[in-house]
Amino acid sequence: MKKKYMMQEATNNGFSLIADFDGNDESVFDIKLESKENIPVLPLRNMVLFPGVFLPINIGRPSTLKLVREAEKNNTNIAVVCQKDAQTENPGFEDLHTVGVIGRIVKVLEMPDHTTTAIIQGFKRIELKSITENHPFLRGEIELREEEKPEKNDKEFTALVDSCKDLTVRFIKTSEMINQETIFAIRNLNVPLFVIDFLATNLPLRKDEKIDLLQMDSLKDRGYRLLEILNREVQLAEIKASIQMRTREDIDQQQREYFLQQQIKTIQNELGGGSQEQEVEEMRLKSFKMKWGEEVQTVFDKELAKLERTHPQSPDYSVQLNYLQTMLNLPWNVYTTDNLNLKNAEKTLDKDHYGLEKVKERILEHLSVLKLKGDMKSPIICLYGPPGVGKTSLGRSIAAALKRKYVRMSLGGVHDEAEIRGHRKTYIGAMPGRIIKSMIKVGSSNPVFILDEIDKVSSDRQGDPSSALLEVLDPEQNTSFHDNFLDVDYDLSKVMFIATANNLNTIPAPLLDRMELIEVSGYITEEKVEIARKHLLPKALEANGLSKNDIKISKPTLEAIIESYTRESGVRELEKKINKILRKSARQLATDGYFRCPEIKPADLYDFLGAPEYSRDKYQGNEYAGVVTGLAWTAVGGEILFVETSLSKGKGGKLTLTGNLGDVMKESAMLALEYIKAHASQLSINEEVFDNWNIHVHVPEGAIPKDGPSAGITMATSLASALTQRKVKPNIAMTGEITLRGKVLPVGGIKEKILAAKRAGIKEIILCSDNKKHIDEIQDIYLKGLTFHYVNDIKEVFNLALTDEKVKDAIELNKLTL
C-alpha cells in the first residue's frame, strides 16, 4: 500500500491533515485484527477519529506521551476514543465515549515550540467494553464493530459522495476559517469509501454530531446524515456571507458591534425564534400576577402590544421596554403589615433617641388611630430644627417602630421638576421621577419616606420642584399621583412622608401648609450628656475597636467636652470629639500595649483635644452702671448677652450703637431711648441731660452679628441704669421686646435662653407674661434654682431690675439730674 500525508501550515483550519491514496487502494480498511483485544486506550479532547483518516494530535498528558512512544516503538495498535468532557485530566471508563477506532502511530514529531505532535491513522471502528488498567496509561478491552459498506458500483452512494464533496467545497468558499487551497485536495479524493469518514473527521462539526456519525454502522446512512449537516452548515455560512455583503464597508468599533448583533438577530430569525417574543410573553405572564386595577391592566396590554410591533433595533424599543418594566417593578397595592404594639413602638423610639418627646407622641398618636380604625391616610410630618439633632435618623427609628420599610430621598440642590415627576416617555432616555424610582427600590406601597432637606429645593428655568411636591405631600391629592413617565395614577396615600428642614423661611407657603410642623429644638447640655453616654460613646467604642470596659468617660468629662470644645445645637461635633479621644487611646494601646489613661477626666481633655475652643459667658456682677445681662438665642443654643451703656460729655446728645448690630436691634435701642426721654421725669432724669451728654450703647463680641427684638427691655434697662447711675439687681437677666408705649412683648427660644441663664449662674429672669406658657412646658429639673418675674410694661422691669443704690463714683452729670 502506497500512501503519503502532508501537514498544512494552519493546523486549526479544520483540515489539518490531508491523506491521498494512489488509485483506488482500499486496503486500509482490510487490516486484520482479533475480534476482542486488550490494547492501550488513547483518550482525545474534542477530537473524533474516523476509519482511514490521518489525524495530528498535540500531546499534553505524560501518560499519553508514554503510550504514543511505546506504540510507535512496537508498532502496536491502540484504541482511539473521545472524552465526554475535555476538562477531565484522568478519565475513567465512565468519562469516555465507548465508540472509537483502532489506530496506529504513523510518526511522532518534536515541534519547534518544544511540544510533541503525533500523527495517528484510524482503521476499523471498535466498541470499548471496559478499562482494565490505568497505569502507566489506559488499557481496555475492545470489540470490533462491523461496517456495512455499499456495493462497489453503487451509483447512489457515488452520487452521495459527490454531493458531500460539492457541499464541502461550497462551505469552504464561504468560510474564512479554512484554507481555500484545501478545495483542490477535496476534489482529488478518489476513494469513495474514504471520503465520508475524511470529511466527518475534518469538518468543524460539533463533537456530539461526530460521535453520532461514528456510531452509525452503515456507511451510506453516515453519508446521508453528513449531507444533512453539510446542508445546514452551508446555509448558515451563506446567511453570514449575505449579511457581510450587505454590511461591507469600513466600520469602527461601534459599527462592528452593531454588525455582530445583526448577525445574531438574522440567525435567530432564520432559525424561527428570537428573544423578543420570549421577553414579551414573560412580561404578559407577570402582569397577570400584579395587584393593579383593570384600568392599569388595560394600559399595560396596550403598551405591550405596541412593543410587539416595534423593531428591536428601533430607538423607541428600549424606551417602551423600560416603561413596561417600570410598571411591572412598581409595588402596586403591596403593603407591609404595621406593628400596632404601642408599648413596643414607644420602647423602640426611646431606645434610638433621647428626648424628642413631641415627635414620639405624634407617632404614637398615629399608631393609636391606625389600631382603632384599621385604615387611615398617613400624615405628612415636617421635622424642623438645627443641624445634627437627629431629624433624619429619627425617620429610620419610626420605620423600625412601625415595622415598615424605609427609603430616603435627599432634596438638597434639586432644581429640575422632572426629578420629582419624571420625563415623558416620548423622549429617548426618559426615566420616571425619583418618587416612583424610590417606590420601586423599596418594594412596598406603605414605607416611611424621608424627604431630606426639603428647605434646600431650588427652582430655575427647568421648573419648580417645590410646586411638583405639592401633589406628593397633599393627602387629598396623592391618592392619584401622576408621574409623567408612568402616565397612570399611582396611590401614595399610604406612604408616611417625613420631611426634614433646617429653616422654614425658605419653604414656599403652599408647601408648608400641607405639612404638620414639629420642631426638633437643639439639645441642652444635660440631654447631650445622656445622648453621648447612651448612644454616641457605645457607637464610637465599637467603631474604634474598643470595648466598654477599656475606656471610661464620665459625665463631668462629657459635660466639659460639650461646654468647652463644641458649640452646636446637635451632637455631630460632640461625636467627632469623642471619636478623637478614642482614636488617641487606640493608638496608645496599639503602640504601648496598655492605656495610659483608662478613665478620661476633665483635666485630661487638654492632652486629647488641646486647648478649649469655646468658653461660656459668666455673669460679671453689677458694679458698673449701665451693664445689664440679656438672653439670646443662637443656632447652637442659648447664650447670655451683655448690653453696656456709657455716657460722655458733648453737645447734641448723640446716640452711638456698636457691636455689629442688625437693623432690628438698632431700632430697639432707639425705641428704648425715646421711651426714656418721654418718661424722664418718672425716672428722675433732667431732660437737659440728653442735650449735654452723648450716649454709647455697645454689645460685646463685635465680630459676631446680632439681631432681633428680644434685647429691647435689656437695652431700655441699660440706658435707664446709665442715665440714673443706679445699680442693676445682681444675678438677674431679662429678655423681651419693647414698644414705643413701653409694652413688653413675648419672644421665642425661651427654653434655650433659660438654660443659658442657668449655666451662667443667673438666679432671676424677667420675661413677658405671654412667655409663661413656654416655661410651663419645660421640665422642672431644668428650672430648679431660678425665679421668674412676668411683666407687661417696662416700668415693671425698671422696678424689678434697678435698685435705689447708686454705683460708687457715680457720674454727677453736671448736676443736671434732679
Side-chain angles (χ1 to χ4, degrees):
M1 176 181 71
K2 293 175 65 179
K3 59 181 180 292
K4 58 184 178 180
Y5 50 86
M6 171 180 65
M7 289 289 295
Q8 297 281 62
E9 291 183 2
T11 58
N12 62 346
N13 60 10
F15 287 78
S16 53
L17 190 67
I18 301 297
D20 190 17
F21 294 86
D22 292 335
N24 291 321
D25 187 1
E26 299 178 0
S27 59
V28 66
F29 299 106
D30 298 328
I31 186 170
K32 294 183 179 180
L33 297 167
E34 296 295 330
S35 61
K36 285 189 178 181
E37 284 191 16
N38 186 10
I39 62 175
V41 177
L42 174 62
L44 301 180
R45 303 178 196 256
N46 290 329
M47 300 175 74
V48 180
L49 180 63
F50 282 75
V53 182
F54 290 89
L55 183 69
I57 62 169
N58 293 322
I59 300 173
R61 284 184 280 228
S63 59
T64 303
L65 187 60
K66 290 181 182 179
L67 184 153
V68 167
R69 294 197 182 283
E70 185 173 316
E72 181 193 31
K73 179 180 178 181
N74 300 325
N75 196 27
T76 57
N77 297 326
I78 60 174
V80 182
V81 295
C82 182
Q83 294 180 196
K84 294 178 180 178
D85 184 359
Q87 304 301 320
T88 306
E89 283 298 323
N90 298 303
F93 180 74
E94 65 280 359
D95 299 319
L96 301 173
H97 290 286
T98 56
V99 63
V101 296
I102 289 291
R104 189 170 290 170
I105 304 299
V106 177
K107 192 172 184 63
V108 177
L109 305 172
E110 298 295 334
M111 306 304 290
D113 58 354
H114 303 292
T115 59
T116 302
T117 298
I119 299 173
I120 306 174
Q121 183 182 9
F123 294 97
K124 291 191 175 183
R125 297 182 309 125
I126 54 97
E127 183 86 23
L128 181 64
K129 292 298 184 179
S130 64
I131 295 296
T132 57
E133 293 182 30
N134 292 317
H135 189 78
F137 43 76
L138 295 178
R139 295 184 70 89
E141 184 180 340
I142 64 156
E143 184 177 283
L144 291 175
R145 291 188 62 160
E146 294 298 326
E147 185 91 355
E148 183 182 332
K149 299 177 184 178
E151 297 295 330
K152 191 170 185 180
N153 296 321
D154 190 336
K155 294 182 180 180
E156 180 185 352
F157 181 72
T158 303
L160 176 63
V161 170
D162 290 341
S163 297
C164 288
K165 289 167 66 175
D166 292 342
L167 283 175
T168 302
V169 170
R170 284 176 60 187
F171 176 72
I172 293 172
K173 286 181 178 180
T174 57
S175 175
E176 296 179 356
M177 301 295 294
I178 303 175
N179 194 327
Q180 299 298 309
E181 295 177 2
T182 311
I183 295 175
F184 177 78
I186 297 293
R187 284 176 172 164
N188 285 279
L189 290 174
N190 298 319
V191 183
L193 296 177
F194 171 73
V195 172
I196 301 297
D197 290 335
F198 176 79
L199 296 179
T201 301
N202 290 289
L203 280 170
L205 307 180
R206 294 197 302 271
K207 182 194 72 174
D208 293 340
E209 289 181 334
K210 291 187 177 184
I211 293 295
D212 291 340
L213 287 170
L214 187 61
Q215 284 180 336
M216 292 182 176
D217 294 330
S218 170
L219 188 60
K220 184 181 288 187
D221 291 342
R222 195 180 308 160
Y224 275 112
R225 176 61 184 145
L226 179 62
L227 190 64
E228 290 179 9
I229 296 172
L230 280 170
N231 265 306
R232 183 196 70 199
E233 294 297 326
V234 167
Q235 288 180 24
L236 285 175
E238 288 178 348
I239 291 171
K240 291 180 181 178
S242 175
I243 294 171
Q244 290 171 352
M245 289 298 293
R246 291 198 302 266
T247 58
R248 182 76 66 185
E249 59 183 4
D250 295 328
I251 52 177
D252 57 16
Q253 181 63 27
Q254 184 177 0
Q255 290 173 315
R256 181 175 180 273
E257 292 175 0
Y258 173 76
F259 160 65
L260 293 174
Q261 290 173 356
Q262 284 294 103
Q263 281 187 312
I264 295 171
K265 292 293 182 183
T266 304
I267 293 169
Q268 288 178 338
N269 291 336
E270 289 293 334
L271 293 175
S275 61
Q276 181 183 2
E277 292 79 4
Q278 183 181 356
E279 196 168 26
V280 168
E281 188 59 31
E282 286 177 358
M283 287 192 289
R284 181 177 284 110
L285 293 175
K286 190 174 181 180
S287 71
F288 297 150
K289 302 177 184 178
M290 301 299 292
K291 298 180 181 179
W292 51 33
E294 184 177 346
E295 179 183 351
V296 181
Q297 182 68 51
T298 302
V299 173
F300 179 84
D301 292 340
K302 179 182 175 182
E303 297 296 332
L304 188 63
K306 189 184 295 183
L307 180 72
E308 288 184 283
R309 297 192 300 269
T310 306
H311 193 275
Q313 296 303 321
S314 169
D316 295 333
Y317 183 83
S318 60
V319 175
Q320 193 70 11
L321 181 63
N322 185 28
Y323 173 75
L324 292 170
Q325 289 175 340
T326 299
M327 289 191 71
L328 291 172
N329 291 333
L330 264 173
W332 300 87
N333 297 318
V334 176
Y335 303 106
T336 55
T337 304
D338 288 331
N339 180 12
L340 301 178
N341 187 330
L342 297 178
K343 290 185 178 179
N344 179 70
E346 186 175 7
K347 183 179 178 181
T348 302
L349 292 171
D350 289 337
K351 178 185 176 183
D352 293 344
H353 288 81
Y354 183 84
L356 306 178
E357 303 302 332
K358 287 185 180 179
V359 187
K360 295 176 182 177
E361 184 180 354
R362 180 64 187 86
I363 299 305
L364 293 174
E365 287 172 1
H366 170 72
L367 268 180
S368 303
V369 176
L370 193 62
K371 185 174 183 178
L372 295 175
K373 190 175 179 225
D375 183 27
M376 65 175 291
K377 292 180 179 178
S378 291
I380 312 295
I381 296 173
C382 179
L383 306 176
Y384 71 96
V389 294
K391 300 185 295 297
T392 304
S393 61
L394 188 62
R396 192 181 295 274
S397 298
I398 292 171
L402 296 172
K403 293 288 190 260
R404 288 192 181 188
K405 293 188 176 181
Y406 169 87
V407 63
R408 172 183 169 273
M409 184 175 84
S410 177
L411 294 172
V414 172
H415 55 81
D416 187 357
E417 181 188 348
E419 290 280 330
I420 307 299
R421 288 187 180 275
H423 307 81
R424 297 197 180 278
K425 68 176 184 293
T426 51
Y427 299 113
I428 294 176
M431 293 186 300
R434 293 174 65 183
I435 298 290
I436 293 298
K437 284 197 285 189
S438 297
M439 299 303 293
I440 293 173
K441 176 183 176 182
V442 79
S444 167
S445 290
N446 64 335
V448 174
F449 200 126
I450 304 298
L451 297 170
D452 217 1
E453 310 291 355
I454 198 171
D455 56 326
K456 305 203 174 40
V457 175
S458 59
S459 59
D460 63 3
R461 59 181 179 81
Q462 293 175 308
D464 184 4
S466 61
S467 298
L469 284 170
L470 293 177
E471 184 183 8
V472 178
L473 299 181
D474 191 338
E476 298 301 324
Q477 297 181 38
N478 64 11
T479 53
S480 56
F481 173 68
H482 188 85
D483 184 273
N484 290 331
F485 180 83
L486 194 62
D487 208 25
V488 291
D489 293 339
Y490 187 80
D491 187 4
L492 295 175
S493 62
K494 300 297 188 296
V495 179
M496 178 178 278
F497 287 102
I498 299 178
T500 70
N502 299 130
N503 184 8
L504 297 181
N505 296 330
T506 59
I507 303 176
L511 188 58
L512 202 61
D513 183 58
R514 284 164 167 76
M515 299 185 290
E516 182 178 342
L517 301 178
I518 299 178
E519 182 181 7
V520 184
S521 59
Y523 297 114
I524 61 175
T525 301
E526 290 80 1
E527 288 175 333
K528 287 182 182 180
V529 169
E530 291 301 316
I531 291 170
R533 191 173 63 84
K534 294 180 179 179
H535 301 285
L536 303 183
L537 188 55
K539 179 182 174 183
L541 284 168
E542 183 180 354
N544 289 283
L546 303 173
S547 68
K548 63 181 180 180
N549 297 321
D550 292 336
I551 294 288
K552 294 183 179 179
I553 302 179
S554 62
K555 283 188 177 182
T557 306
L558 293 171
E559 187 172 346
I561 297 172
I562 295 165
E563 296 285 348
S564 302
Y565 293 92
T566 66
R567 178 165 286 183
E568 58 176 347
S569 295
V571 291
R572 283 201 181 109
E573 192 66 27
L574 175 59
E575 185 176 15
K576 293 175 186 176
K577 299 300 181 186
I578 292 174
N579 272 297
K580 186 174 181 179
I581 292 173
L582 296 182
R583 283 197 304 271
K584 288 184 178 292
S585 300
R587 182 182 176 184
Q588 291 175 2
L589 179 63
T591 305
D592 303 331
Y594 64 92
F595 293 107
R596 299 176 193 169
C597 191
E599 183 174 354
I600 312 296
K601 298 179 180 178
D604 302 321
L605 291 179
Y606 184 88
D607 297 330
F608 288 93
L609 301 177
E613 300 175 23
Y614 307 102
S615 61
R616 296 285 183 181
D617 290 328
K618 300 296 181 182
Y619 176 69
Q620 297 178 358
N622 64 339
E623 299 301 321
Y624 301 94
V627 179
V628 182
T629 306
L631 299 175
W633 179 92
T634 70
V636 296
E639 297 283 351
I640 65 170
L641 195 70
F642 298 106
V643 176
E644 302 174 349
T645 301
S646 66
L647 305 173
S648 60
K649 290 182 180 181
K651 294 294 183 180
K654 180 182 177 184
L655 174 64
T656 304
L657 302 172
T658 57
N660 203 352
L661 308 183
D663 291 339
V664 177
M665 210 163 181
K666 289 177 180 178
E667 290 171 359
S668 295
M670 289 186 282
L671 278 172
L673 181 58
E674 289 302 319
Y675 178 84
I676 290 174
K677 285 181 179 180
H679 300 80
S681 59
Q682 298 177 17
L683 293 170
S684 300
I685 301 174
N686 192 319
E687 294 180 2
E688 294 182 14
V689 168
F690 302 109
D691 297 325
N692 296 288
W693 290 81
N694 293 327
I695 302 173
H696 188 159
V697 178
H698 176 68
V699 182
E701 297 188 61
I704 301 173
K706 310 169 192 72
D707 202 4
S710 61
I713 65 172
T714 311
M715 287 185 165
T717 306
S718 176
L719 287 166
S721 173
L723 291 167
T724 60
Q725 293 294 293
R726 291 163 62 184
K727 282 187 174 184
V728 178
K729 191 176 182 181
N731 299 310
I732 195 168
M734 59 193 72
T735 182
E737 184 179 356
I738 188 176
T739 70
L740 196 56
R741 295 176 296 157
K743 295 293 182 183
V744 179
L745 302 180
V747 291
I750 295 300
K751 180 181 177 182
E752 287 81 3
K753 292 176 179 179
I754 296 305
L755 296 167
K758 187 176 179 181
R759 285 194 300 267
I762 301 297
K763 303 296 183 185
E764 298 179 61
I765 296 175
I766 300 175
L767 297 167
C768 174
S769 298
D770 290 341
N771 283 128
K772 186 177 186 303
K773 59 188 177 185
H774 299 106
I775 300 297
D776 295 338
E777 292 180 355
I778 302 175
Q779 298 180 26
D780 293 338
I781 187 174
Y782 303 131
L783 304 178
K784 189 175 181 181
L786 294 175
T787 302
F788 296 95
H789 301 285
Y790 303 104
V791 299
N792 293 303
D793 192 274
I794 190 64
K795 294 176 186 177
E796 298 177 55
V797 177
F798 293 158
N799 292 333
L800 288 167
L802 298 178
T803 66
D804 294 331
E805 180 185 0
K806 293 198 174 186
V807 298
K808 186 178 180 182
D809 300 325
I811 300 174
E812 292 294 331
L813 302 180
N814 281 345
K815 299 183 179 180
L816 290 174
T817 304
L818 297 178

